[in-house]
Amino acid sequence: MTTHDFQDGSGPVPAHQHPSGGGWVADSAVVDDDAYIGPNACVFGLAWVCNNVWVYGNARVFGSAFLSDECLVFDNASVSGEARVSVNARVYENASLSGSVVVTGRAWVHGAASLTEGVVDHEQDVEA
């Protein structure tokens, strides 16, 4: 059995490298074959990544986060908790999503933005 330490305090857990991009995915997470997980990115916990999503750079997706429908998470961004990202949304630079926040509809969250609740949609651009 292959394991990987996601540096989240849980130690090494069963994991594999995603066939598209080579990034680490915990066996507890669900990542579609059509997703791209870049070599330095990772998906762990109970996260779901589906429908042509790209996670790359040093991005981290974990907890019960759900990513779908051609969204991008990259640079040093993180998506965790029960956060949802979908429909061509972008989360990048040092942005952090957690809690129950929803980002959808071509919205962008970037810079040092840190969101934990609410909805960002309809092409909104959030930067902090």
Side-chain angles (χ1 to χ4, degrees):
M1 171 178 33
T2 303
T3 63
H4 181 75
D5 188 345
F6 291 94
Q7 303 298 313
D8 64 343
S10 297
V13 298
H16 59 279
Q17 290 183 279
H18 195 270
S20 179
W24 283 99
V25 176
D27 290 351
S28 58
V30 176
V31 178
D32 283 357
D33 289 342
D34 65 4
Y36 175 82
I37 310 299
N40 296 318
C42 60
V43 179
F44 56 102
L46 300 174
W48 281 65
V49 176
C50 56
N51 297 329
N52 296 309
V53 169
W54 280 52
V55 179
Y56 59 99
N58 294 311
R60 297 167 52 92
V61 178
F62 57 102
S64 296
F66 183 85
L67 279 58
S68 67
D69 301 317
E70 301 180 4
C71 67
L72 303 177
V73 177
F74 57 101
D75 291 335
N76 294 308
S78 69
V79 180
S80 65
E82 295 183 2
R84 305 287 181 258
V85 181
S86 64
V87 191
N88 298 95
R90 308 289 186 259
V91 181
Y92 59 102
E93 292 170 341
N94 295 306
S96 173
L97 304 180
S98 61
S100 60
V101 67
V102 174
V103 178
T104 188
R106 299 183 191 274
W108 291 14
V109 178
H110 56 106
S114 179
L115 304 177
T116 60
E117 60 184 17
V119 176
V120 179
D121 64 2
H122 301 296
E123 300 182 10
Q124 288 179 302
D125 185 347
V126 176
E127 179 180 19

